[in-house]
Structure formats: structure tokens, C-alpha cells
Amino acid sequence: MTMARQVRMTVNGAACEGLAEPRTTLADFLRGELELTGTHVGCEHGVCGVCTVLLDGRAIRSCLMLAVQADGADVTTVEGLAEPDGKLHPIQEAFVEEHGLQCGYCTPGFLMAICELLESNPSPSDEEIKDVLGGQICRCTGYQSILRSVHSAAAKLGGGRSATGA
Ligand code: FES
Ligand code: FES
């Protein structure tokens, strides 16, 4: 017998609903029920950060939250960053220009975590950026290019400071 129940949330500005079992994670709901597969899944226990989305403006691990817990929430996934016409978000542009990705598997999680950072702190220092990047695992880039990407994104968004923090 299925225990699935209807879950409703706003995702990337649109009202969405779907069925979720009590054990279904928000990550699996987004990917499987809403077909928003830009949110990736890796460790599935809160370590790697690839499943990061914004929930009511805060970056959260969607593998650690149940879909039923997010009922009624406002969720932003990586699909919500670019404009409807395909124009990339400034953070995405910065990642492309500064080579902030290689295989790209980790990238949706980094983008969403950096969204939250730059929203609350438009001109972060190296240390403040590293504090956020430390919660996201990338096995390809070595992080320096991601650090440059964040500084570039901050400048594009009207904030920012040099990589030395000046
Ligand atoms: S899949 Fe969620 S933190 Fe790794
Ligand atoms: S770009 Fe490959 S894991 Fe980060």
C-alpha cells in the first residue's frame, strides 16, 4: 500500500505539486517527480553538497530533507538561475569565464551555495568564500578557479573585492 501524499511547493517561481512517500527526500522529489534533474545526488548523507538548493532563500542539502517537510516552501534549483531566454545568471557566466567547472557534476551545488553567499554578503573576502566552498566537494578543479569565479560573480553583481581581499 502506498503512503504517498500530495506535496505542493513553489519551485523556481512556479507552483508545483506531486506525490511523495514519507521517506522521499526533497532531492529525489525534485529529480524524480518534478523532473528537475539539475540538482544532483552524490553522497546522500549531507557531505558532498551537490544536492544544494535554496529553500526559502537558505542553502540546504536536499538529500537531508524530506519532500513532505518542504510542503509549502519556496524552492530555487539550478534550473531557476538562467533567464527564460537562456541567458545565464552572472554566477554561471563567471564559472564559464573563469573555468570554475570541469566535469560539472558538483557545479549546481556550488552555484546555489554561492547564490546564498552573495545574497547575504555581496563582497566576500577570500576567507568568507572559502568557508562556503569548504562545504562543497569538487574532485576536479582544485578550487582556485572556483574561488576566482566567485570574485568575478561578485563583481558582476555589483559587489566584490579583489582576490587578495583589498
Ligand atoms: S548528496 Fe546531498 S550532500 Fe551529498
Ligand atoms: S567539476 Fe568535476 S567534481 Fe567539480
Side-chain angles (χ1 to χ4, degrees), residues 27 40-52 61-64:
H40 291 165
V41 172
C43 68
E44 296 188 79
H45 61 268
V47 175
C48 72
V50 299
C51 65
T52 302
R61 312 288 212 212
S62 61
C63 72
L64 292 184

Side-chain angles (χ1 to χ4, degrees), residues 5 10 15 19 27 57 73 77 88 91 103 109 118-120 129 133 141:
R5 53 176 277 191
T10 302
L19 287 173
T77 69
L88 294 179
I91 302 175
C103 80
L118 296 182
E119 186 68 34
S120 61
I129 296 170
L133 300 190
T141 64

Side-chain angles (χ1 to χ4, degrees), residues 9-20:
M9 58 188 77
T10 302
V11 183
N12 302 328
C16 296
E17 61 183 288
L19 287 173

Side-chain angles (χ1 to χ4, degrees), residues 91-103 107 138 140-150 152:
I91 302 175
Q92 293 171 308
E93 284 180 354
F95 265 67
V96 172
E97 292 164 5
E98 299 294 338
H99 308 287
L101 69 154
Q102 290 184 26
C103 80
T107 309
C138 175
C140 300
T141 64
Y143 291 86
Q144 283 304 319
S145 56
I146 297 177
L147 186 63
R148 283 199 311 274
S149 301
V150 181
S152 169

